[in-house]
Amino acid sequence: MKSLFDETVKNEIEDRIHKLSNNSVQAWGKMDISQMFYHCQFPLKIALKKEHPPMKPSLLAKLFFKKAMYNDKPWKKSLPTHPKLKVVDAKVFEEEKQTLLKLINEFSEKRTISEWDPHPMFGKFTKDQWGKMQYKHLDHHLQQFNI
């Protein structure tokens, strides 16, 4: 599994984001491109301690879903989104795109940190797992828009 802590992988993600336009249409799901950019900011903000969603730790999530966050198996299309991470209101394409790119860079710059705070729902992740999880989430949503 690729990691957002790998500079080449980070650059690949950024290049894919730059290929999207305000007119990009999703292959599945309900979010438009601007909403997807906004949604993809949540996991990065959680890792960077900029967002503290009122999620409760879940034994079920830890036992059955945690490994799926960073393993090599692709996520299924149209997986349900946690209610706290759903985006239904309109967003501004360029603002959300730039914010997402900024957060990707900020996260990637933390590659030397070895101890990370636990995820509010899944608990402790290693640095390696955080990097893979961030990549997997971004990759999933870029594939949603055929990029």
Side-chain angles (χ1 to χ4, degrees):
M1 172 59 55
K2 294 180 180 180
S3 170
L4 202 56
F5 287 132
D6 180 315
E7 187 72 19
T8 303
V9 171
K10 179 194 73 90
N11 292 338
E12 171 212 318
I13 289 290
E14 290 173 333
D15 290 345
R16 290 167 67 189
I17 289 170
H18 285 299
K19 290 178 181 174
L20 294 163
S21 74
N22 197 26
N23 298 320
S24 296
V25 178
Q26 70 274 30
W28 75 83
K30 297 176 182 173
M31 291 183 288
D32 66 25
I33 187 68
S34 301
Q35 291 169 324
M36 182 274 283
F37 283 158
Y38 184 82
H39 167 80
C40 285
Q41 295 170 27
F42 282 120
L44 293 160
K45 287 179 179 177
I46 289 169
L48 295 167
K49 299 186 235 176
K50 294 176 180 253
E51 185 84 29
H52 305 283
M55 300 170 140
K56 294 181 180 178
S58 165
L59 183 59
L60 182 68
K62 288 179 187 178
L63 291 176
F64 295 103
F65 301 110
K66 184 176 179 178
K67 287 183 182 177
M69 300 302 291
Y70 55 81
N71 66 16
D72 289 333
K73 186 176 178 184
W75 292 336
K76 294 179 182 177
K77 297 175 182 177
S78 298
L79 282 173
T81 301
H82 189 285
K84 304 290 183 195
L85 304 180
K86 284 187 178 183
V87 182
V88 293
D89 51 333
K91 299 294 176 188
V92 178
F93 175 81
E94 197 58 39
E95 287 177 23
E96 302 308 339
K97 176 181 171 182
Q98 292 308 316
T99 299
L100 178 59
L101 290 167
K102 180 180 173 218
L103 288 166
I104 289 169
N105 276 297
E106 191 174 340
F107 178 82
S108 180
E109 288 171 4
K110 304 282 186 191
R111 68 177 58 88
T112 60
I113 295 174
S114 57
E115 290 295 319
W116 288 75
D117 285 350
H119 188 279
M121 178 180 267
F122 298 104
K124 182 157 178 53
F125 284 116
T126 65
K127 176 183 117 175
D128 186 55
Q129 291 166 340
W130 273 111
K132 289 177 178 179
M133 177 179 65
Q134 298 296 345
Y135 169 80
K136 190 170 182 176
H137 185 246
L138 290 165
D139 178 64
H140 173 77
H141 285 291
L142 292 170
Q143 287 183 35
Q144 179 185 7
F145 284 83
N146 295 312
I147 295 293

